[in-house]
Amino acid sequence: MRIARFSVDDEPKYGVVETDDPEGLVGTVAVLDSDPLYRPVQFTGEQLQLADVRLLAPVIPRSKVVCVGRNYQAHAEELGNEVPKEPMIFLKPNTSVIGPRDGIVYPEQTNNLHFEGELAIVIGRICRDLPKERVNEVIFGYTVANDVTARDLQKTDGQWARAKGYDTFCPLGPWITTELDVSDVRVTTTLNGEPKQDGRTSQFIFDIPEVLAYITSFTTLLPGDVVLTGTPAGVGPMLPGDEVAISIEGIGTLTNKVIVRD
């Protein structure tokens, strides 16, 4: 099931998407009566054309976006970093989240803004001290993420809050896919149509059960929280006017343009 958050006449709604288009530009959405994260799926009977709605970020995290750094060996090596011995965790604020086709703002404080295509996990239940064997009980579904990073600020600041946390630095979408086996799916990124990243989730250093067990050993995850699982090799710079598209097998494609704030 593909669950989207969308707007019609600026009113946010939720629905189940039927489409063969990975970006959801063509197809239909069956409208739900409320957010399915908090209530069972109930259809209103209304059905809309995707061409007539605006897809939004499929979830606005209640409290946080938790991210795993350097979870692909080749990515760690391409930046000259050691492979971590345990998951490397950092946070993005929920104010960094934007949706499909929204603009990624290029801050004036950076000269080296990078894309990082990633699989994102959407949490469906409160969880703390989660055993690895029960991970699937707390996962609502999966979506596509771009862990936008000001690479120069990441190096100079000595910590990653600013480099990873600007408004618009966490595009999510185009929807949440439920009941998907993500143990070995392809993650690709293009910049202006040119291939840049190509990896598989089977290449994770720390798999999803390890990651969620580790995170919940020190913090509680809430329904709607999002976990970014790491990026394959091939990250690189974006400039204003560029279009970055991240595709994950079985989910879809998240596309955003880089813009300069007016």
Side-chain angles (χ1 to χ4, degrees), residues 3-6 13-14 54-61 97-100 102 143 170-176 254:
I3 296 177
R5 181 171 165 265
F6 63 94
K13 297 183 178 183
Y14 295 86
R54 177 190 172 202
L55 289 177
L56 307 173
V59 61
I60 298 296
V97 171
I98 57 172
D102 289 340
T143 191
C170 190
L172 297 175
W175 42 66
I176 298 168
L254 170 68

mmCIF file with all atom_site columns, all heavy atoms in Angstrom, residues 3-6 13-14 54-61 97-100 102 143 170-176 254:
data_model
loop_
_atom_site.group_PDB
_atom_site.id
_atom_site.type_symbol
_atom_site.label_atom_id
_atom_site.label_alt_id
_atom_site.label_comp_id
_atom_site.label_asym_id
_atom_site.label_entity_id
_atom_site.label_seq_id
_atom_site.pdbx_PDB_ins_code
_atom_site.Cartn_x
_atom_site.Cartn_y
_atom_site.Cartn_z
_atom_site.occupancy
_atom_site.B_iso_or_equiv
_atom_site.pdbx_formal_charge
_atom_site.auth_seq_id
_atom_site.auth_comp_id
_atom_site.auth_asym_id
_atom_site.auth_atom_id
_atom_site.pdbx_PDB_model_num
ATOM 1   N N   . ILE A 1 3   ? 0.796   5.123  0.855  1.00 0.00 ? 3   ILE A N   1
ATOM 2   C CA  . ILE A 1 3   ? 0.023   6.118  1.595  1.00 0.00 ? 3   ILE A CA  1
ATOM 3   C C   . ILE A 1 3   ? 0.666   7.485  1.396  1.00 0.00 ? 3   ILE A C   1
ATOM 4   O O   . ILE A 1 3   ? 1.840   7.687  1.720  1.00 0.00 ? 3   ILE A O   1
ATOM 5   C CB  . ILE A 1 3   ? -0.057  5.767  3.081  1.00 0.00 ? 3   ILE A CB  1
ATOM 6   C CG1 . ILE A 1 3   ? -0.821  4.443  3.251  1.00 0.00 ? 3   ILE A CG1 1
ATOM 7   C CG2 . ILE A 1 3   ? -0.741  6.882  3.861  1.00 0.00 ? 3   ILE A CG2 1
ATOM 8   C CD1 . ILE A 1 3   ? -0.897  3.950  4.659  1.00 0.00 ? 3   ILE A CD1 1
ATOM 9   N N   . ALA A 1 4   ? -0.113  8.404  0.854  1.00 0.00 ? 4   ALA A N   1
ATOM 10  C CA  . ALA A 1 4   ? 0.389   9.742  0.544  1.00 0.00 ? 4   ALA A CA  1
ATOM 11  C C   . ALA A 1 4   ? -0.286  10.776 1.436  1.00 0.00 ? 4   ALA A C   1
ATOM 12  O O   . ALA A 1 4   ? -1.405  10.595 1.922  1.00 0.00 ? 4   ALA A O   1
ATOM 13  C CB  . ALA A 1 4   ? 0.125   10.085 -0.917 1.00 0.00 ? 4   ALA A CB  1
ATOM 14  N N   . ARG A 1 5   ? 0.425   11.842 1.646  1.00 0.00 ? 5   ARG A N   1
ATOM 15  C CA  . ARG A 1 5   ? -0.127  13.065 2.245  1.00 0.00 ? 5   ARG A CA  1
ATOM 16  C C   . ARG A 1 5   ? -0.135  14.095 1.131  1.00 0.00 ? 5   ARG A C   1
ATOM 17  O O   . ARG A 1 5   ? 0.873   14.279 0.439  1.00 0.00 ? 5   ARG A O   1
ATOM 18  C CB  . ARG A 1 5   ? 0.738   13.495 3.426  1.00 0.00 ? 5   ARG A CB  1
ATOM 19  C CG  . ARG A 1 5   ? 0.277   14.733 4.166  1.00 0.00 ? 5   ARG A CG  1
ATOM 20  C CD  . ARG A 1 5   ? 1.101   14.924 5.456  1.00 0.00 ? 5   ARG A CD  1
ATOM 21  N NE  . ARG A 1 5   ? 0.939   16.256 6.012  1.00 0.00 ? 5   ARG A NE  1
ATOM 22  C CZ  . ARG A 1 5   ? 1.759   17.271 5.769  1.00 0.00 ? 5   ARG A CZ  1
ATOM 23  N NH1 . ARG A 1 5   ? 2.827   17.094 4.975  1.00 0.00 ? 5   ARG A NH1 1
ATOM 24  N NH2 . ARG A 1 5   ? 1.550   18.453 6.294  1.00 0.00 ? 5   ARG A NH2 1
ATOM 25  N N   . PHE A 1 6   ? -1.249  14.759 0.941  1.00 0.00 ? 6   PHE A N   1
ATOM 26  C CA  . PHE A 1 6   ? -1.378  15.650 -0.211 1.00 0.00 ? 6   PHE A CA  1
ATOM 27  C C   . PHE A 1 6   ? -2.288  16.811 0.159  1.00 0.00 ? 6   PHE A C   1
ATOM 28  O O   . PHE A 1 6   ? -2.932  16.829 1.213  1.00 0.00 ? 6   PHE A O   1
ATOM 29  C CB  . PHE A 1 6   ? -1.938  14.883 -1.415 1.00 0.00 ? 6   PHE A CB  1
ATOM 30  C CG  . PHE A 1 6   ? -3.327  14.351 -1.206 1.00 0.00 ? 6   PHE A CG  1
ATOM 31  C CD1 . PHE A 1 6   ? -4.433  15.078 -1.624 1.00 0.00 ? 6   PHE A CD1 1
ATOM 32  C CD2 . PHE A 1 6   ? -3.534  13.126 -0.594 1.00 0.00 ? 6   PHE A CD2 1
ATOM 33  C CE1 . PHE A 1 6   ? -5.730  14.600 -1.429 1.00 0.00 ? 6   PHE A CE1 1
ATOM 34  C CE2 . PHE A 1 6   ? -4.814  12.636 -0.397 1.00 0.00 ? 6   PHE A CE2 1
ATOM 35  C CZ  . PHE A 1 6   ? -5.914  13.379 -0.814 1.00 0.00 ? 6   PHE A CZ  1
ATOM 36  N N   . LYS A 1 13  ? -4.559  16.336 3.266  1.00 0.00 ? 13  LYS A N   1
ATOM 37  C CA  . LYS A 1 13  ? -5.346  15.119 3.392  1.00 0.00 ? 13  LYS A CA  1
ATOM 38  C C   . LYS A 1 13  ? -4.408  13.918 3.246  1.00 0.00 ? 13  LYS A C   1
ATOM 39  O O   . LYS A 1 13  ? -3.240  14.057 2.882  1.00 0.00 ? 13  LYS A O   1
ATOM 40  C CB  . LYS A 1 13  ? -6.439  15.051 2.320  1.00 0.00 ? 13  LYS A CB  1
ATOM 41  C CG  . LYS A 1 13  ? -7.488  16.147 2.406  1.00 0.00 ? 13  LYS A CG  1
ATOM 42  C CD  . LYS A 1 13  ? -8.568  15.950 1.351  1.00 0.00 ? 13  LYS A CD  1
ATOM 43  C CE  . LYS A 1 13  ? -9.647  17.018 1.452  1.00 0.00 ? 13  LYS A CE  1
ATOM 44  N NZ  . LYS A 1 13  ? -10.743 16.806 0.471  1.00 0.00 ? 13  LYS A NZ  1
ATOM 45  N N   . TYR A 1 14  ? -4.961  12.735 3.511  1.00 0.00 ? 14  TYR A N   1
ATOM 46  C CA  . TYR A 1 14  ? -4.221  11.485 3.351  1.00 0.00 ? 14  TYR A CA  1
ATOM 47  C C   . TYR A 1 14  ? -4.987  10.586 2.392  1.00 0.00 ? 14  TYR A C   1
ATOM 48  O O   . TYR A 1 14  ? -6.224  10.641 2.317  1.00 0.00 ? 14  TYR A O   1
ATOM 49  C CB  . TYR A 1 14  ? -4.052  10.777 4.695  1.00 0.00 ? 14  TYR A CB  1
ATOM 50  C CG  . TYR A 1 14  ? -3.190  11.550 5.668  1.00 0.00 ? 14  TYR A CG  1
ATOM 51  C CD1 . TYR A 1 14  ? -3.739  12.533 6.486  1.00 0.00 ? 14  TYR A CD1 1
ATOM 52  C CD2 . TYR A 1 14  ? -1.818  11.308 5.750  1.00 0.00 ? 14  TYR A CD2 1
ATOM 53  C CE1 . TYR A 1 14  ? -2.957  13.259 7.365  1.00 0.00 ? 14  TYR A CE1 1
ATOM 54  C CE2 . TYR A 1 14  ? -1.022  12.031 6.630  1.00 0.00 ? 14  TYR A CE2 1
ATOM 55  C CZ  . TYR A 1 14  ? -1.593  12.999 7.431  1.00 0.00 ? 14  TYR A CZ  1
ATOM 56  O OH  . TYR A 1 14  ? -0.806  13.721 8.292  1.00 0.00 ? 14  TYR A OH  1
ATOM 57  N N   . ARG A 1 54  ? -1.473  18.105 -4.907 1.00 0.00 ? 54  ARG A N   1
ATOM 58  C CA  . ARG A 1 54  ? -0.052  18.377 -4.670 1.00 0.00 ? 54  ARG A CA  1
ATOM 59  C C   . ARG A 1 54  ? 0.443   17.411 -3.598 1.00 0.00 ? 54  ARG A C   1
ATOM 60  O O   . ARG A 1 54  ? -0.061  17.419 -2.467 1.00 0.00 ? 54  ARG A O   1
ATOM 61  C CB  . ARG A 1 54  ? 0.154   19.807 -4.206 1.00 0.00 ? 54  ARG A CB  1
ATOM 62  C CG  . ARG A 1 54  ? 1.615   20.130 -3.867 1.00 0.00 ? 54  ARG A CG  1
ATOM 63  C CD  . ARG A 1 54  ? 1.738   21.475 -3.183 1.00 0.00 ? 54  ARG A CD  1
ATOM 64  N NE  . ARG A 1 54  ? 3.093   21.703 -2.704 1.00 0.00 ? 54  ARG A NE  1
ATOM 65  C CZ  . ARG A 1 54  ? 3.404   22.549 -1.731 1.00 0.00 ? 54  ARG A CZ  1
ATOM 66  N NH1 . ARG A 1 54  ? 2.447   23.244 -1.130 1.00 0.00 ? 54  ARG A NH1 1
ATOM 67  N NH2 . ARG A 1 54  ? 4.651   22.701 -1.357 1.00 0.00 ? 54  ARG A NH2 1
ATOM 68  N N   . LEU A 1 55  ? 1.392   16.560 -3.950 1.00 0.00 ? 55  LEU A N   1
ATOM 69  C CA  . LEU A 1 55  ? 1.963   15.646 -2.975 1.00 0.00 ? 55  LEU A CA  1
ATOM 70  C C   . LEU A 1 55  ? 2.819   16.421 -1.983 1.00 0.00 ? 55  LEU A C   1
ATOM 71  O O   . LEU A 1 55  ? 3.651   17.247 -2.379 1.00 0.00 ? 55  LEU A O   1
ATOM 72  C CB  . LEU A 1 55  ? 2.801   14.574 -3.658 1.00 0.00 ? 55  LEU A CB  1
ATOM 73  C CG  . LEU A 1 55  ? 2.033   13.521 -4.469 1.00 0.00 ? 55  LEU A CG  1
ATOM 74  C CD1 . LEU A 1 55  ? 3.014   12.563 -5.146 1.00 0.00 ? 55  LEU A CD1 1
ATOM 75  C CD2 . LEU A 1 55  ? 1.058   12.751 -3.597 1.00 0.00 ? 55  LEU A CD2 1
ATOM 76  N N   . LEU A 1 56  ? 2.626   16.141 -0.696 1.00 0.00 ? 56  LEU A N   1
ATOM 77  C CA  . LEU A 1 56  ? 3.386   16.756 0.384  1.00 0.00 ? 56  LEU A CA  1
ATOM 78  C C   . LEU A 1 56  ? 4.346   15.731 0.981  1.00 0.00 ? 56  LEU A C   1
ATOM 79  O O   . LEU A 1 56  ? 4.292   14.540 0.645  1.00 0.00 ? 56  LEU A O   1
ATOM 80  C CB  . LEU A 1 56  ? 2.437   17.255 1.472  1.00 0.00 ? 56  LEU A CB  1
ATOM 81  C CG  . LEU A 1 56  ? 1.303   18.176 1.023  1.00 0.00 ? 56  LEU A CG  1
ATOM 82  C CD1 . LEU A 1 56  ? 0.355   18.439 2.198  1.00 0.00 ? 56  LEU A CD1 1
ATOM 83  C CD2 . LEU A 1 56  ? 1.848   19.475 0.453  1.00 0.00 ? 56  LEU A CD2 1
ATOM 84  N N   . ALA A 1 57  ? 5.208   16.173 1.876  1.00 0.00 ? 57  ALA A N   1
ATOM 85  C CA  . ALA A 1 57  ? 5.997   15.210 2.642  1.00 0.00 ? 57  ALA A CA  1
ATOM 86  C C   . ALA A 1 57  ? 5.038   14.204 3.262  1.00 0.00 ? 57  ALA A C   1
ATOM 87  O O   . ALA A 1 57  ? 4.056   14.603 3.901  1.00 0.00 ? 57  ALA A O   1
ATOM 88  C CB  . ALA A 1 57  ? 6.804   15.910 3.724  1.00 0.00 ? 57  ALA A CB  1
ATOM 89  N N   . PRO A 1 58  ? 5.254   12.907 3.080  1.00 0.00 ? 58  PRO A N   1
ATOM 90  C CA  . PRO A 1 58  ? 4.260   11.923 3.524  1.00 0.00 ? 58  PRO A CA  1
ATOM 91  C C   . PRO A 1 58  ? 4.090   11.856 5.030  1.00 0.00 ? 58  PRO A C   1
ATOM 92  O O   . PRO A 1 58  ? 3.109   11.308 5.517  1.00 0.00 ? 58  PRO A O   1
ATOM 93  C CB  . PRO A 1 58  ? 4.796   10.606 2.964  1.00 0.00 ? 58  PRO A CB  1
ATOM 94  C CG  . PRO A 1 58  ? 6.256   10.832 2.757  1.00 0.00 ? 58  PRO A CG  1
ATOM 95  C CD  . PRO A 1 58  ? 6.396   12.276 2.404  1.00 0.00 ? 58  PRO A CD  1
ATOM 96  N N   . VAL A 1 59  ? 5.049   12.396 5.780  1.00 0.00 ? 59  VAL A N   1
ATOM 97  C CA  . VAL A 1 59  ? 4.951   12.435 7.229  1.00 0.00 ? 59  VAL A CA  1
ATOM 98  C C   . VAL A 1 59  ? 5.730   13.650 7.722  1.00 0.00 ? 59  VAL A C   1
ATOM 99  O O   . VAL A 1 59  ? 6.765   14.000 7.167  1.00 0.00 ? 59  VAL A O   1
ATOM 100 C CB  . VAL A 1 59  ? 5.505   11.129 7.857  1.00 0.00 ? 59  VAL A CB  1
ATOM 101 C CG1 . VAL A 1 59  ? 6.969   10.928 7.508  1.00 0.00 ? 59  VAL A CG1 1
ATOM 102 C CG2 . VAL A 1 59  ? 5.309   11.105 9.367  1.00 0.00 ? 59  VAL A CG2 1
ATOM 103 N N   . ILE A 1 60  ? 5.195   14.315 8.738  1.00 0.00 ? 60  ILE A N   1
ATOM 104 C CA  . ILE A 1 60  ? 5.941   15.338 9.456  1.00 0.00 ? 60  ILE A CA  1
ATOM 105 C C   . ILE A 1 60  ? 6.286   14.730 10.809 1.00 0.00 ? 60  ILE A C   1
ATOM 106 O O   . ILE A 1 60  ? 5.391   14.499 11.630 1.00 0.00 ? 60  ILE A O   1
ATOM 107 C CB  . ILE A 1 60  ? 5.131   16.634 9.641  1.00 0.00 ? 60  ILE A CB  1
ATOM 108 C CG1 . ILE A 1 60  ? 4.780   17.242 8.286  1.00 0.00 ? 60  ILE A CG1 1
ATOM 109 C CG2 . ILE A 1 60  ? 5.906   17.631 10.487 1.00 0.00 ? 60  ILE A CG2 1
ATOM 110 C CD1 . ILE A 1 60  ? 5.974   17.696 7.468  1.00 0.00 ? 60  ILE A CD1 1
ATOM 111 N N   . PRO A 1 61  ? 7.554   14.418 11.043 1.00 0.00 ? 61  PRO A N   1
ATOM 112 C CA  . PRO A 1 61  ? 7.910   13.721 12.286 1.00 0.00 ? 61  PRO A CA  1
ATOM 113 C C   . PRO A 1 61  ? 7.417   14.462 13.512 1.00 0.00 ? 61  PRO A C   1
ATOM 114 O O   . PRO A 1 61  ? 7.552   15.680 13.622 1.00 0.00 ? 61  PRO A O   1
ATOM 115 C CB  . PRO A 1 61  ? 9.437   13.684 12.227 1.00 0.00 ? 61  PRO A CB  1
ATOM 116 C CG  . PRO A 1 61  ? 9.770   13.785 10.781 1.00 0.00 ? 61  PRO A CG  1
ATOM 117 C CD  . PRO A 1 61  ? 8.711   14.669 10.194 1.00 0.00 ? 61  PRO A CD  1
ATOM 118 N N   . VAL A 1 97  ? 12.165  19.106 7.122  1.00 0.00 ? 97  VAL A N   1
ATOM 119 C CA  . VAL A 1 97  ? 11.414  18.238 6.217  1.00 0.00 ? 97  VAL A CA  1
ATOM 120 C C   . VAL A 1 97  ? 10.636  19.054 5.188  1.00 0.00 ? 97  VAL A C   1
ATOM 121 O O   . VAL A 1 97  ? 9.956   20.026 5.520  1.00 0.00 ? 97  VAL A O   1
ATOM 122 C CB  . VAL A 1 97  ? 10.450  17.332 7.017  1.00 0.00 ? 97  VAL A CB  1
ATOM 123 C CG1 . VAL A 1 97  ? 9.510   16.571 6.073  1.00 0.00 ? 97  VAL A CG1 1
ATOM 124 C CG2 . VAL A 1 97  ? 11.234  16.353 7.874  1.00 0.00 ? 97  VAL A CG2 1
ATOM 125 N N   . ILE A 1 98  ? 10.755  18.649 3.922  1.00 0.00 ? 98  ILE A N   1
ATOM 126 C CA  . ILE A 1 98  ? 9.943   19.177 2.830  1.00 0.00 ? 98  ILE A CA  1
ATOM 127 C C   . ILE A 1 98  ? 9.459   17.994 2.002  1.00 0.00 ? 98  ILE A C   1
ATOM 128 O O   . ILE A 1 98  ? 9.856   16.843 2.238  1.00 0.00 ? 98  ILE A O   1
ATOM 129 C CB  . ILE A 1 98  ? 10.714  20.176 1.943  1.00 0.00 ? 98  ILE A CB  1
ATOM 130 C CG1 . ILE A 1 98  ? 11.982  19.525 1.361  1.00 0.00 ? 98  ILE A CG1 1
ATOM 131 C CG2 . ILE A 1 98  ? 11.052  21.438 2.716  1.00 0.00 ? 98  ILE A CG2 1
ATOM 132 C CD1 . ILE A 1 98  ? 12.686  20.389 0.319  1.00 0.00 ? 98  ILE A CD1 1
ATOM 133 N N   . GLY A 1 99  ? 8.609   18.260 1.022  1.00 0.00 ? 99  GLY A N   1
ATOM 134 C CA  . GLY A 1 99  ? 8.021   17.198 0.228  1.00 0.00 ? 99  GLY A CA  1
ATOM 135 C C   . GLY A 1 99  ? 8.520   17.158 -1.199 1.00 0.00 ? 99  GLY A C   1
ATOM 136 O O   . GLY A 1 99  ? 9.423   17.910 -1.587 1.00 0.00 ? 99  GLY A O   1
ATOM 137 N N   . PRO A 1 100 ? 7.938   16.274 -2.006 1.00 0.00 ? 100 PRO A N   1
ATOM 138 C CA  . PRO A 1 100 ? 8.307   16.169 -3.415 1.00 0.00 ? 100 PRO A CA  1
ATOM 139 C C   . PRO A 1 100 ? 8.108   17.491 -4.143 1.00 0.00 ? 100 PRO A C   1
ATOM 140 O O   . PRO A 1 100 ? 7.132   18.203 -3.924 1.00 0.00 ? 100 PRO A O   1
ATOM 141 C CB  . PRO A 1 100 ? 7.356   15.102 -3.962 1.00 0.00 ? 100 PRO A CB  1
ATOM 142 C CG  . PRO A 1 100 ? 6.864   14.362 -2.773 1.00 0.00 ? 100 PRO A CG  1
ATOM 143 C CD  . PRO A 1 100 ? 6.856   15.335 -1.644 1.00 0.00 ? 100 PRO A CD  1
ATOM 144 N N   . ASP A 1 102 ? 9.299   20.251 -3.741 1.00 0.00 ? 102 ASP A N   1
ATOM 145 C CA  . ASP A 1 102 ? 9.624   21.464 -2.992 1.00 0.00 ? 102 ASP A CA  1
ATOM 146 C C   . ASP A 1 102 ? 11.082  21.842 -3.235 1.00 0.00 ? 102 ASP A C   1
ATOM 147 O O   . ASP A 1 102 ? 11.921  20.979 -3.537 1.00 0.00 ? 102 ASP A O   1
ATOM 148 C CB  . ASP A 1 102 ? 9.392   21.255 -1.494 1.00 0.00 ? 102 ASP A CB  1
ATOM 149 C CG  . ASP A 1 102 ? 7.928   21.162 -1.130 1.00 0.00 ? 102 ASP A CG  1
ATOM 150 O OD1 . ASP A 1 102 ? 7.088   21.622 -1.928 1.00 0.00 ? 102 ASP A OD1 1
ATOM 151 O OD2 . ASP A 1 102 ? 7.617   20.627 -0.045 1.00 0.00 ? 102 ASP A OD2 1
ATOM 152 N N   . THR A 1 143 ? 9.957   5.293  3.022  1.00 0.00 ? 143 THR A N   1
ATOM 153 C CA  . THR A 1 143 ? 9.880   6.319  1.997  1.00 0.00 ? 143 THR A CA  1
ATOM 154 C C   . THR A 1 143 ? 11.299  6.654  1.534  1.00 0.00 ? 143 THR A C   1
ATOM 155 O O   . THR A 1 143 ? 12.273  6.029  1.956  1.00 0.00 ? 143 THR A O   1
ATOM 156 C CB  . THR A 1 143 ? 9.117   7.561  2.512  1.00 0.00 ? 143 THR A CB  1
ATOM 157 O OG1 . THR A 1 143 ? 8.839   8.440  1.420  1.00 0.00 ? 143 THR A OG1 1
ATOM 158 C CG2 . THR A 1 143 ? 9.872   8.300  3.598  1.00 0.00 ? 143 THR A CG2 1
ATOM 159 N N   . CYS A 1 170 ? 15.771  18.063 4.463  1.00 0.00 ? 170 CYS A N   1
ATOM 160 C CA  . CYS A 1 170 ? 15.314  16.672 4.573  1.00 0.00 ? 170 CYS A CA  1
ATOM 161 C C   . CYS A 1 170 ? 14.090  16.436 3.692  1.00 0.00 ? 170 CYS A C   1
ATOM 162 O O   . CYS A 1 170 ? 12.982  16.212 4.195  1.00 0.00 ? 170 CYS A O   1
ATOM 163 C CB  . CYS A 1 170 ? 15.020  16.300 6.024  1.00 0.00 ? 170 CYS A CB  1
ATOM 164 S SG  . CYS A 1 170 ? 14.716  14.529 6.267  1.00 0.00 ? 170 CYS A SG  1
ATOM 165 N N   . PRO A 1 171 ? 14.263  16.440 2.372  1.00 0.00 ? 171 PRO A N   1
ATOM 166 C CA  . PRO A 1 171 ? 13.142  16.069 1.506  1.00 0.00 ? 171 PRO A CA  1
ATOM 167 C C   . PRO A 1 171 ? 12.732  14.612 1.746  1.00 0.00 ? 171 PRO A C   1
ATOM 168 O O   . PRO A 1 171 ? 13.583  13.729 1.874  1.00 0.00 ? 171 PRO A O   1
ATOM 169 C CB  . PRO A 1 171 ? 13.723  16.250 0.096  1.00 0.00 ? 171 PRO A CB  1
ATOM 170 C CG  . PRO A 1 171 ? 14.859  17.211 0.258  1.00 0.00 ? 171 PRO A CG  1
ATOM 171 C CD  . PRO A 1 171 ? 15.438  16.891 1.602  1.00 0.00 ? 171 PRO A CD  1
ATOM 172 N N   . LEU A 1 172 ? 11.413  14.384 1.804  1.00 0.00 ? 172 LEU A N   1
ATOM 173 C CA  . LEU A 1 172 ? 10.849  13.039 1.959  1.00 0.00 ? 172 LEU A CA  1
ATOM 174 C C   . LEU A 1 172 ? 9.736   12.851 0.940  1.00 0.00 ? 172 LEU A C   1
ATOM 175 O O   . LEU A 1 172 ? 8.988   13.778 0.637  1.00 0.00 ? 172 LEU A O   1
ATOM 176 C CB  . LEU A 1 172 ? 10.260  12.846 3.360  1.00 0.00 ? 172 LEU A CB  1
ATOM 177 C CG  . LEU A 1 172 ? 11.194  12.930 4.571  1.00 0.00 ? 172 LEU A CG  1
ATOM 178 C CD1 . LEU A 1 172 ? 10.378  12.830 5.855  1.00 0.00 ? 172 LEU A CD1 1
ATOM 179 C CD2 . LEU A 1 172 ? 12.247  11.824 4.528  1.00 0.00 ? 172 LEU A CD2 1
ATOM 180 N N   . GLY A 1 173 ? 9.578   11.605 0.445  1.00 0.00 ? 173 GLY A N   1
ATOM 181 C CA  . GLY A 1 173 ? 8.464   11.329 -0.458 1.00 0.00 ? 173 GLY A CA  1
ATOM 182 C C   . GLY A 1 173 ? 8.811   10.230 -1.453 1.00 0.00 ? 173 GLY A C   1
ATOM 183 O O   . GLY A 1 173 ? 9.862   9.605  -1.345 1.00 0.00 ? 173 GLY A O   1
ATOM 184 N N   . PRO A 1 174 ? 7.963   9.980  -2.421 1.00 0.00 ? 174 PRO A N   1
ATOM 185 C CA  . PRO A 1 174 ? 6.713   10.702 -2.665 1.00 0.00 ? 174 PRO A CA  1
ATOM 186 C C   . PRO A 1 174 ? 5.543   10.227 -1.791 1.00 0.00 ? 174 PRO A C   1
ATOM 187 O O   . PRO A 1 174 ? 4.526   10.898 -1.707 1.00 0.00 ? 174 PRO A O   1
ATOM 188 C CB  . PRO A 1 174 ? 6.433   10.402 -4.146 1.00 0.00 ? 174 PRO A CB  1
ATOM 189 C CG  . PRO A 1 174 ? 7.063   9.056  -4.380 1.00 0.00 ? 174 PRO A CG  1
ATOM 190 C CD  . PRO A 1 174 ? 8.284   9.022  -3.495 1.00 0.00 ? 174 PRO A CD  1
ATOM 191 N N   . TRP A 1 175 ? 5.710   9.059  -1.148 1.00 0.00 ? 175 TRP A N   1
ATOM 192 C CA  . TRP A 1 175 ? 4.673   8.491  -0.281 1.00 0.00 ? 175 TRP A CA  1
ATOM 193 C C   . TRP A 1 175 ? 5.335   7.482  0.630  1.00 0.00 ? 175 TRP A C   1
ATOM 194 O O   . TRP A 1 175 ? 6.549   7.247  0.551  1.00 0.00 ? 175 TRP A O   1
ATOM 195 C CB  . TRP A 1 175 ? 3.579   7.806  -1.122 1.00 0.00 ? 175 TRP A CB  1
ATOM 196 C CG  . TRP A 1 175 ? 4.131   7.015  -2.265 1.00 0.00 ? 175 TRP A CG  1
ATOM 197 C CD1 . TRP A 1 175 ? 4.918   5.878  -2.206 1.00 0.00 ? 175 TRP A CD1 1
ATOM 198 C CD2 . TRP A 1 175 ? 3.993   7.329  -3.653 1.00 0.00 ? 175 TRP A CD2 1
ATOM 199 N NE1 . TRP A 1 175 ? 5.268   5.463  -3.465 1.00 0.00 ? 175 TRP A NE1 1
ATOM 200 C CE2 . TRP A 1 175 ? 4.705   6.328  -4.374 1.00 0.00 ? 175 TRP A CE2 1
ATOM 201 C CE3 . TRP A 1 175 ? 3.325   8.325  -4.364 1.00 0.00 ? 175 TRP A CE3 1
ATOM 202 C CZ2 . TRP A 1 175 ? 4.774   6.323  -5.766 1.00 0.00 ? 175 TRP A CZ2 1
ATOM 203 C CZ3 . TRP A 1 175 ? 3.400   8.317  -5.753 1.00 0.00 ? 175 TRP A CZ3 1
ATOM 204 C CH2 . TRP A 1 175 ? 4.115   7.329  -6.432 1.00 0.00 ? 175 TRP A CH2 1
ATOM 205 N N   . ILE A 1 176 ? 4.550   6.879  1.520  1.00 0.00 ? 176 ILE A N   1
ATOM 206 C CA  . ILE A 1 176 ? 5.034   5.798  2.376  1.00 0.00 ? 176 ILE A CA  1
ATOM 207 C C   . ILE A 1 176 ? 4.555   4.477  1.790  1.00 0.00 ? 176 ILE A C   1
ATOM 208 O O   . ILE A 1 176 ? 3.361   4.303  1.523  1.00 0.00 ? 176 ILE A O   1
ATOM 209 C CB  . ILE A 1 176 ? 4.507   5.946  3.812  1.00 0.00 ? 176 ILE A CB  1
ATOM 210 C CG1 . ILE A 1 176 ? 5.002   7.254  4.438  1.00 0.00 ? 176 ILE A CG1 1
ATOM 211 C CG2 . ILE A 1 176 ? 4.932   4.755  4.676  1.00 0.00 ? 176 ILE A CG2 1
ATOM 212 C CD1 . ILE A 1 176 ? 4.299   7.608  5.731  1.00 0.00 ? 176 ILE A CD1 1
ATOM 213 N N   . LEU A 1 254 ? 11.799  10.492 -5.575 1.00 0.00 ? 254 LEU A N   1
ATOM 214 C CA  . LEU A 1 254 ? 11.692  11.795 -4.909 1.00 0.00 ? 254 LEU A CA  1
ATOM 215 C C   . LEU A 1 254 ? 12.527  12.790 -5.703 1.00 0.00 ? 254 LEU A C   1
ATOM 216 O O   . LEU A 1 254 ? 13.737  12.623 -5.834 1.00 0.00 ? 254 LEU A O   1
ATOM 217 C CB  . LEU A 1 254 ? 12.195  11.686 -3.477 1.00 0.00 ? 254 LEU A CB  1
ATOM 218 C CG  . LEU A 1 254 ? 12.375  12.990 -2.697 1.00 0.00 ? 254 LEU A CG  1
ATOM 219 C CD1 . LEU A 1 254 ? 11.034  13.649 -2.425 1.00 0.00 ? 254 LEU A CD1 1
ATOM 220 C CD2 . LEU A 1 254 ? 13.120  12.715 -1.379 1.00 0.00 ? 254 LEU A CD2 1
#
